[in-house]
Amino acid sequence: MDGVERAVRRITSNDRFARLVGTEIQEVRPGYARVSLKIEDKHLNSVDITHGSVVFTLVDMAFALASNSHGQVAVALNMSINFVKATGTGNFLTAEATEDKLTNRTGLYRIAVSDETGEIVCVAEGLVYRKKESI
């Protein structure tokens, strides 16, 4: 089993919060992941737009898959996120995480979330620490 398969298996079986929110893995390959979510009423905040934590969960899931896809355990050190468009019930969001830089100890990732029209909803950047253990 390669690193991608191990990462997908471990994360899908152990990330209970992402499962609760309803994220769906679309594609994973070394240094890349695409994850989606259809926004439902349960995902809205008090002003009837998608809760920031839901968008962040989608970002985090793509980030986790992309950064662990090399078969080495990677844990977040830092995340910066910019929300640029509000969404709501019925929107279909997709997060794409791409690897910008990979070293023996760290990895830098850019994650963009778009809606069903392709319009950007948020842009994030995440840094991971790569542990010595295999995933």
Side-chain angles (χ1 to χ4, degrees), residues 19-59:
R19 201 168 43 246
L20 176 70
V21 171
T23 60
E24 293 183 24
I25 299 169
Q26 301 298 319
E27 181 182 359
V28 182
R29 58 182 190 266
Y32 174 86
R34 188 174 68 240
V35 180
S36 63
L37 175 67
K38 179 158 179 131
I39 303 301
E40 300 173 18
D41 189 62
K42 69 181 181 180
H43 297 123
L44 303 184
N45 65 17
S46 63
V47 294
D48 293 326
I49 61 174
T50 306
H51 200 289
S53 67
V54 171
V55 178
F56 187 89
T57 299
L58 189 61
V59 165

Side-chain angles (χ1 to χ4, degrees), residues 13-127:
S13 66
N14 289 347
D15 195 328
R16 294 169 283 294
F17 187 71
R19 201 168 43 246
L20 176 70
V21 171
T23 60
E24 293 183 24
I25 299 169
Q26 301 298 319
E27 181 182 359
V28 182
R29 58 182 190 266
Y32 174 86
R34 188 174 68 240
V35 180
S36 63
L37 175 67
K38 179 158 179 131
I39 303 301
E40 300 173 18
D41 189 62
K42 69 181 181 180
H43 297 123
L44 303 184
N45 65 17
S46 63
V47 294
D48 293 326
I49 61 174
T50 306
H51 200 289
S53 67
V54 171
V55 178
F56 187 89
T57 299
L58 189 61
V59 165
D60 192 52
M61 183 68 160
F63 176 46
L65 286 162
S67 63
N68 282 277
S69 65
H70 298 286
Q72 190 172 341
V73 173
V75 293
L77 287 173
N78 188 47
M79 176 71 75
S80 170
I81 189 165
N82 298 289
F83 300 98
V84 296
K85 179 185 176 192
T87 60
T89 302
N91 283 120
F92 188 80
L93 305 183
T94 302
E96 284 189 279
T98 55
E99 194 171 79
D100 283 345
K101 179 70 175 171
L102 185 68
T103 71
N104 288 335
R105 298 313 242 167
T106 63
L108 181 65
Y109 296 82
R110 186 175 320 271
I111 308 96
V113 176
S114 56
D115 66 13
E116 66 281 354
T117 69
E119 205 169 335
I120 295 293
V121 171
C122 86
V123 178
E125 185 177 76
L127 179 68

